[in-house]
Amino acid sequence: MSSYTRSHLKQLESEAIFVIREVAAQFTQPVLLFSGGKDSIVMSHLAQRAFFPGKMPFPLLHIDTGHNFPETLAFRDKLIDKLNLELIVRYVQDSIDQGRVVEEKGHDPSRNGLQTATLLDAMAEFKFEAALGGARRDEEKARAKERFFSHRDAFSQWDPKNQRPELWGLYNGRKQAQEHFRVFPLSNWTEMDIWQYIRMEEIDIPNLYFAHEREILIREGMIMATFRGIITPLPSEKTEQRQVRFRTIGDISCTGAVESAAATLDDVIQEVASARVTERGGRADDKRSEAAMEDRKKQGYF
Amino acid sequence: MLIEPTTNPKVTYSADGYLAMDLLRFTTAGSVDDGKSTLIGRLLYDTKSIFEDQLEAVERASRQRGDVYVDLALLTDGLRAEREQGITIDVAYRYFATPKRKFIIADTPGHIQYTRNMVTGASTAELAIVLIDARKGVLTQSKRHGFLASLLHIPHILVAVNKMDLVDYDQATYERIVAEYTEFASKLSINDLTFIPISALNGDNVVNKSDRTPWYDGPTLLHHLENVNVGASRNLVDFRFPVQMVIRPHQDFRGFAGQIASGSITPGEEVIVLPSGKNSTVQAIVTASGDLPEAAAGDSVILTLSDEIDISRGDMIVRKHNLPQVGNQLECIICWMDEEPMNLKGSYILQHTTHQVRAFINEINYRIDVDTLHRETVKTLQLNEIGRVKITTTQSLFFDPYQLNRSTGSFILIDPTTNATVAAGMIRRRARGLDEVVPQQPQRQASSNVVWESSQLTRGARERQNGHDAAVLWFTGLSGSGKSTVARQLEKRLFDMGSHTFYLDGDNIRHGLNGDLGFSDQDRKENIRRVAEVARLAFEHGNLTLCTFISPFAADRASTRSLLPEGRFIEIYVKCDLEVVKRRDPKGLYAKALRGEIKEFTGISSPYEAPVNPEILVETDVQSVEEIVDLIIEELVRRGLIQL
Ligand SMILES: Nc1nc2c(ncn2[C@@H]2O[C@H](COP(=O)(O)OP(=O)(O)O)[C@@H](O)[C@H]2O)c(=O)[nH]1
């Protein structure tokens, strides 16, 4: 009965689709958080599949920090167009202008921490009950215990001690009026699974993920793309042209590049297979403290 | 530095090879300090699943704590609160892969909230690693881990006897642990038990075979993980499709989305929708990459049916000739997971497949002491306690016993006020009312003027002389399900044990005694009536009487049962999926029946009423004949009918 055995990738896909559908069935107002990175592109693809031939029954929400790569935004708009999806964008700049948050001090401040407030405001504005995200457990130690259905209290706080046990495939999405859930259908995927799935399904991804020439500088040991007003060279920093690519795509201010010649998906996969640092190794925000991620999660970061 | 890679396999990823990899989910259990974190760290490290920045972080943390060596255990321990207390308090999931397989580890902590976490981790696991410290031997906790693994029905258990380096790799120490644990495990229902002597710290027999244990010729731990049969816990027989949601993009399309809980399905098959009971046929299995010719357990698909039927979330689509059980009174084992103890007066929400209903806990039969396995009478269940309870739901559920089907036999209880998940449950069976337990005695026809002539020699006398009790072992099941194969093997075993046996076989009886009967419902009934009478004569003569008859009707089997004293009629349901027997078709009968050449053929053109609560259930499409015979012998011993 070999026809009944399924590859692990197919099993992960079925699991993710099941979870996405549970969200659509258990909540009246879900939303899919879209960052433009490969995980959220894979999420959109899976959500597309989950309801085929029907349409994805919820919108996408992008929290724009103003520090996005232009390629990310162009790719996002093309994708929305192609798949005929509904996109909501909310801007961190607006939160700053309204005095909800204050820009960090110092040279080239990151807005990564600020987006939490914008996100929570958007959740409240649209009364979203569940936000689907593309986070994976293998990304970071603090995520290893994260649930598929992650409960957030009325203040959007994540209490590690108050998470519901998840058994078999039974997900409990019951909640009080003010509470909401973050849901992570890709929990069991690894970075390699994502790449392999992109290859298997022939999913389009931004060119930033492939090797290209660009102006960079080295800051705190990381290769950063230079951008006026976001990554601005200090007098002591020298810029140079290098062939690089990105393993994750977040804000320009905190996404490190890697030197690479990987021009195709197969090259990228080969590189991922022999990589000696995690993909988050290139993210400045995590380096700050060992428990950085945990702290941000408690505040409602996705 | 403590960590030294035992290998540095150069993993080259053939991207296509990756697509062929399968998946093993396993759980790890051990008492504190048995070396669980070290073992996981070792597996991650030796399979190159640890990156340099992670290693650096661990080295930094070790230095900060003042450790003189790098503690591999730190690789796997997550939240700050836990790091500060130096313990792990929640299930954590880890990932690694070899070119052959991807692994998901549910890493369950050693002590606090142990039961709750182990049950959670075990619920999706296909294998459990139980760690035993070679110096300490089999502890109460080691037994508890084995018990929980068997309770949750994990098909494979691997006992890793760790810290062999601290007992000089002594074979005798290892053998003693193996013997003691094997003895204990025989009391549980564990299908596959494997032992491996290891040193997680030094890497002996973890990834590479150790030359310090020349006396051990089994596989390494990783080799075992890579080669153990996956999917053993998937039920591929009973098609169950809990509907998640209805997909209706436009007038012309109406599909039912869900993940197949068990079994498989192909387009064209006849199905029934529960609870409405409406019939239809599967029109297509729809996915975004095209329609599928077949889908099986675990697949997320969309089914379309050829008839317009009103179906909504929580309904279940099943095959016409393979129905789940139905009931709103359930006997269950539950594990309590909330700080707030179980409330017998309150109501809960029970989530089963995609269905939520109100539920009440009517009574607690007993609590199981997970260390001694003793049953205790209690008034309630507290956090981390396991017990057997009776539950009533406001709507009927469609389920299978957990033993046979993890997906449709499991549920959670939710507190309606806090919305917390408070318990995990496994359904044993439908709770039975007294009227079902004590069946009505059907009227027996007796020819006039005939009195039952009792022989001088009583059955009791014969039984004493034979050294075993008499009984009727009634094998029922579809044609080709393997009744005779099993019965013949069993009879041989019983004979070799010196038992007195008598064998009545359906085909043989129809050649002679019942040669005048056909296959109409009436004739089938008469066939069984005669056989039952013969079986009873053989029984009264002290024989273990084996009868192999399709006997499709529950009423006929019940009337046979009523001829015999309580406990002496052993109904053995030889279960095999209709699709499988059709494929087997040893006598070519199904082919004929499907061509219409045989009328009233059970399973094709005549119904088979599956036993609801047989004394013994065996599945020939998943168990071997040897296993089945062992299982029946064990059950006969357990019932005190025979002795080994
Ligand atoms: N000598 C020896 N020590 C070990 C072995 N495995 C683990 N240890 C040590 O036992 C202690 C507890 O191990 P740890 O993995 O933290 O145990 P856990 O509580 O089960 O996770 C640590 O000091 C380990 O270094 C082994 O195979 N041999």
Side-chain angles (χ1 to χ4, degrees):
Chain A
M1 294 202 188
S2 60
S3 69
Y4 292 156
T5 58
R6 296 286 181 269
S7 74
H8 81 286
L9 219 45
K10 271 285 168 198
Q11 291 184 50
L12 292 177
E13 181 193 49
S14 278
E15 177 180 72
I17 288 178
F18 176 80
V19 172
I20 293 170
R21 287 176 180 162
E22 277 302 288
V23 170
Q26 291 196 33
F27 302 97
T28 41
Q29 291 276 44
V31 66
L32 197 162
L33 300 178
F34 188 84
S35 71
K38 63 185 186 306
D39 296 332
S40 63
I41 293 169
V42 166
M43 278 292 297
S44 319
H45 180 84
L46 287 165
Q48 195 67 19
R49 289 179 69 81
F51 306 102
F52 175 89
K55 224 180 137 237
M56 201 189 294
F58 39 74
L60 271 54
L61 171 64
H62 183 207
I63 302 300
D64 188 335
T65 55
H67 287 177
N68 290 295
F69 288 96
E71 291 91 333
T72 305
L73 297 181
F75 183 89
R76 177 195 76 187
D77 294 339
K78 211 177 73 194
L79 186 78
I80 296 295
D81 227 40
K82 195 176 99 193
L83 302 181
N84 186 23
L85 303 174
E86 185 190 341
L87 172 73
I88 298 169
V89 185
R90 285 295 172 268
Y91 300 89
V92 170
Q93 188 61 50
D94 290 345
S95 303
I96 295 172
D97 295 346
Q98 289 155 14
R100 295 271 295 125
V101 293
V102 182
E103 187 104 68
E104 282 179 32
K105 303 265 178 306
H107 182 68
D108 288 348
S110 159
R111 286 185 169 178
N112 214 29
L114 304 188
Q115 55 181 324
T116 305
T118 315
L119 170 67
L120 297 183
D121 287 350
M123 296 284 293
E125 180 186 349
F126 295 95
K127 300 196 169 56
F128 288 131
E129 298 183 309
L132 284 154
R136 313 187 312 266
R137 289 187 183 130
D138 85 321
E139 277 177 68
E140 221 270 346
K141 260 205 291 188
R143 285 213 208 264
K145 298 171 189 199
E146 184 58 284
R147 306 297 197 268
F148 276 86
F149 273 46
S150 179
H151 178 258
R152 305 297 156 108
D153 65 17
F155 308 101
S156 295
Q157 309 247 1
W158 174 79
D159 179 359
K161 292 204 193 63
N162 197 17
Q163 295 297 319
R164 300 169 182 177
E166 285 179 341
L167 299 108
W168 299 290
L170 299 170
Y171 300 103
N172 169 6
R174 298 182 70 94
K175 60 174 205 60
Q176 313 288 351
Q178 300 302 310
E179 301 172 344
H180 68 270
F181 277 85
R182 299 290 169 77
V183 181
F184 304 111
L186 305 181
S187 288
N188 281 330
W189 297 49
T190 59
E191 185 190 9
M192 181 56 100
D193 294 330
I194 295 285
W195 283 114
Q196 294 282 359
Y197 188 72
I198 288 171
R199 178 179 182 272
M200 182 174 94
E201 292 288 302
E202 298 174 357
I203 301 172
D204 245 357
I205 50 170
N207 288 329
L208 295 168
Y209 284 113
F210 301 105
H212 57 284
E213 284 271 325
R214 73 161 59 230
E215 189 187 85
I216 61 102
L217 55 78
I218 309 286
R219 183 174 288 175
E220 289 170 34
M222 288 191 304
I223 305 175
M224 307 297 293
T226 57
F227 254 91
R228 305 302 138 224
I230 302 174
I231 295 290
T232 342
L234 292 165
S236 63
E237 292 170 333
K238 73 172 193 343
T239 63
E240 52 188 304
Q241 290 289 125
R242 278 205 203 162
Q243 203 186 25
V244 298
R245 64 175 201 90
F246 295 90
R247 275 175 87 183
T248 68
I249 297 181
D251 275 6
I252 293 171
S253 63
C254 54
T255 308
V258 290
E259 274 192 274
S260 166
T264 67
L265 213 42
D266 282 340
D267 296 344
V268 170
I269 286 171
Q270 210 55 53
E271 238 182 58
V272 172
S274 49
R276 295 308 300 142
V277 295
T278 59
E279 46 181 345
R280 280 195 169 263
R283 288 184 76 140
D285 46 329
D286 290 341
K287 280 251 167 106
R288 295 185 183 170
S289 109
E290 233 235 292
M293 173 69 94
E294 200 180 316
D295 289 336
R296 275 185 293 139
K297 268 177 71 175
K298 281 191 179 159
Q299 291 154 17
Y301 178 80
F302 42 97
Chain B
M1 181 164 137
L2 211 68
I3 335 160
E4 275 183 39
T6 43
T7 55
N8 209 354
K10 178 82 191 109
V11 189
T12 43
Y13 272 94
S14 120
D16 290 325
Y18 199 82
L19 301 185
M21 277 161 56
D22 59 13
L23 176 64
L24 176 72
R25 295 174 197 251
F26 67 94
T27 176
T28 51
S31 314
V32 181
D33 281 348
D34 282 351
K36 189 165 59 68
S37 313
T38 311
L39 174 64
I40 294 174
R42 167 63 63 194
L43 280 171
L44 299 184
Y45 192 71
D46 281 356
T47 55
K48 281 187 70 182
S49 312
I50 301 294
F51 296 103
E52 275 161 13
D53 50 332
Q54 290 174 316
L55 209 52
E56 265 169 38
V58 166
E59 281 169 357
R60 220 179 311 131
S62 287
R63 265 198 309 278
Q64 274 164 16
R65 293 202 330 190
D67 291 347
V68 287
Y69 56 84
V70 174
D71 191 351
L72 269 182
L74 282 177
L75 278 170
T76 62
D77 111 290
L79 302 179
R80 178 157 47 184
E82 298 172 23
R83 279 202 303 280
E84 280 162 7
Q85 295 163 36
I87 50 156
T88 37
I89 55 176
D90 207 344
V91 186
Y93 294 85
R94 329 256 172 225
Y95 305 85
F96 71 98
T98 66
K100 212 167 165 170
R101 219 167 236 187
K102 163 159 171 162
F103 300 91
I104 301 180
I105 314 177
D107 178 9
T108 59
H111 52 160
I112 297 188
Q113 308 233 323
Y114 178 73
T115 304
R116 164 186 153 139
N117 288 321
M118 165 104 196
V119 167
T120 304
S123 72
T124 49
E126 291 205 67
L127 178 144
I129 298 183
V130 174
L131 270 122
I132 294 182
D133 185 331
R135 294 169 306 173
K136 298 185 192 152
V138 179
L139 300 179
T140 307
Q141 285 100 314
S142 331
K143 295 184 180 175
R144 187 196 300 170
H145 304 148
F147 166 67
L148 290 176
S150 82
L151 187 73
L152 270 287
H153 224 63
I154 300 182
H156 308 282
I157 296 187
L158 192 175
V159 179
V161 181
N162 190 30
K163 307 200 185 181
M164 286 303 294
D165 52 315
L166 298 180
V167 295
D168 293 330
Y169 301 94
D170 177 39
Q171 181 178 9
T173 305
Y174 172 74
E175 298 291 353
R176 218 165 26 243
I177 292 171
V178 171
E180 194 181 339
Y181 205 81
T182 307
E183 155 76 20
F184 161 74
S186 68
K187 292 187 224 139
L188 307 171
S189 67
I190 294 175
N191 296 333
D192 172 29
L193 183 65
T194 307
F195 295 87
I196 303 181
I198 64 164
S199 165
L201 194 61
N202 299 335
D204 295 285
N205 294 328
V206 177
V207 172
N208 286 338
K209 218 164 161 44
S210 169
D211 49 20
R212 287 173 283 212
T213 52
W215 42 266
Y216 172 74
D217 59 6
T220 63
L221 190 124
L222 184 65
H223 186 269
H224 186 70
L225 293 178
E226 277 189 311
N227 289 286
V228 73
N229 168 29
V230 291
S233 68
R234 276 163 86 215
N235 175 329
L236 288 171
V237 176
D238 308 304
F239 174 68
R240 308 282 185 258
F241 187 75
V243 175
Q244 247 187 316
M245 60 192 302
V246 181
I247 306 281
R248 181 151 218 199
H250 49 76
Q251 285 296 307
D252 304 330
F253 188 92
R254 203 172 136 81
F256 307 101
Q259 186 170 26
I260 298 179
S262 60
S264 64
I265 195 80
T266 53
E269 287 194 77
E270 282 185 79
V271 289
I272 280 192
V273 181
L274 300 172
S276 73
K278 297 256 167 57
N279 286 287
S280 191
T281 319
V282 174
Q283 196 174 51
I285 303 168
V286 179
T287 75
S289 18
D291 292 357
L292 302 177
E294 178 174 51
D299 293 346
S300 283
V301 292
I302 290 173
L303 299 185
T304 56
L305 304 182
S306 47
D307 303 271
E308 280 254 343
I309 302 180
D310 196 21
I311 299 178
S312 48
R313 175 171 167 88
D315 289 359
M316 191 182 275
I317 300 175
V318 301
R319 256 203 218 107
K320 201 170 157 191
H321 294 292
N322 182 336
L323 301 176
Q325 300 191 27
V326 184
N328 75 332
Q329 306 227 350
L330 310 167
E331 281 181 20
C332 323
I333 298 285
I334 64 175
C335 171
W336 201 256
M337 304 190 142
D338 201 45
E339 304 278 351
E340 201 59 39
M342 179 172 103
N343 180 0
L344 271 167
K345 294 201 188 71
S347 80
Y348 293 97
I349 290 154
L350 185 151
Q351 185 171 343
H352 172 254
T353 66
T354 54
H355 202 194
Q356 289 194 345
V357 297
R358 280 265 158 188
F360 305 89
I361 301 167
N362 304 101
E363 65 180 77
I364 310 182
N365 302 92
Y366 51 79
R367 177 177 73 195
I368 304 168
D369 182 321
V370 292
D371 293 334
T372 61
L373 307 190
H374 287 157
R375 297 169 177 192
E376 303 157 337
T377 315
V378 286
K379 294 231 155 39
T380 185
L381 291 178
Q382 315 261 0
L383 178 62
N384 289 319
E385 293 185 339
I386 290 177
R388 175 149 163 193
V389 300
K390 200 184 261 181
I391 289 180
T392 303
T393 54
T394 48
Q395 288 170 44
S396 284
L397 300 180
F398 307 99
F399 65 90
D400 297 279
Y402 184 79
Q403 287 271 5
L404 303 181
N405 199 325
R406 272 172 133 185
S407 308
T408 56
S410 56
F411 63 85
I412 53 173
L413 292 180
I414 300 167
D415 182 322
T417 337
T418 63
N419 291 324
T421 300
V422 294
M426 289 159 280
I427 305 172
R428 289 175 59 96
R429 60 162 169 238
R430 190 160 59 93
R432 288 180 293 183
L434 193 62
D435 49 339
E436 289 173 89
V437 181
V438 187
Q440 308 267 307
Q441 298 270 321
Q443 285 259 300
R444 279 186 61 212
Q445 22 171 303
S447 313
S448 49
N449 299 324
V450 179
V451 283
W452 181 258
E453 190 61 56
S454 54
S455 161
Q456 280 300 99
L457 291 171
T458 63
R459 175 162 48 86
R462 290 175 196 272
E463 288 177 335
R464 273 191 296 283
Q465 174 134 347
N466 292 347
H468 61 82
D469 283 355
V472 171
L473 310 180
W474 189 273
F475 293 79
T476 172
L478 295 171
S479 172
S481 60
K483 295 181 298 297
S484 315
T485 312
V486 171
R488 273 197 299 270
Q489 284 272 5
L490 176 66
E491 188 184 29
K492 170 116 187 19
R493 282 277 288 279
L494 291 169
F495 180 81
D496 291 344
M497 290 162 63
S499 308
H500 290 241
T501 62
F502 192 103
Y503 184 23
L504 286 164
D505 175 75
D507 284 349
N508 297 347
I509 294 279
R510 279 189 177 274
H511 287 141
L513 177 62
N514 291 353
D516 57 329
L517 300 176
F519 290 89
S520 66
D521 286 5
Q522 198 51 44
D523 280 6
R524 282 176 190 268
K525 192 174 150 117
E526 175 60 13
N527 181 41
I528 298 302
R529 193 193 67 78
R530 291 184 198 171
V531 168
E533 291 292 348
V534 176
R536 179 162 178 247
L537 288 171
F539 167 78
E540 286 299 339
H541 282 79
N543 291 295
L544 287 169
T545 309
L546 295 83
C547 308
T548 52
F549 294 87
I550 297 174
S551 48
F553 302 123
D556 295 342
R557 297 191 302 261
S559 74
T560 309
R561 179 187 290 271
S562 71
L563 294 179
L564 295 154
E566 180 79 40
R568 298 303 184 90
F569 179 83
I570 309 295
E571 188 173 38
I572 302 173
Y573 176 20
V574 182
K575 192 173 176 191
C576 186
D577 187 57
L578 182 59
E579 298 313 305
V580 176
V581 292
K582 271 197 221 161
R583 255 173 260 170
R584 279 189 196 157
D585 204 7
K587 300 174 196 157
L589 296 175
Y590 283 96
K592 281 191 190 165
L594 287 167
R595 287 196 301 269
E597 290 165 25
I598 308 179
K599 298 267 172 294
E600 297 175 298
F601 191 75
T602 301
I604 304 297
S605 39
S606 177
Y608 177 77
E609 300 171 6
V612 180
N613 276 305
E615 273 77 6
I616 302 176
L617 187 151
V618 300
E619 295 178 274
T620 56
D621 40 9
V622 287
Q623 298 164 301
S624 72
V625 177
E626 279 302 308
E627 280 170 348
I628 291 172
V629 169
D630 286 348
L631 192 145
I632 297 174
I633 299 254
E634 265 168 42
E635 183 60 23
L636 298 180
V637 171
R638 208 186 61 72
R639 289 176 174 267
L641 294 168
I642 60 172
Q643 275 141 29
L644 289 179

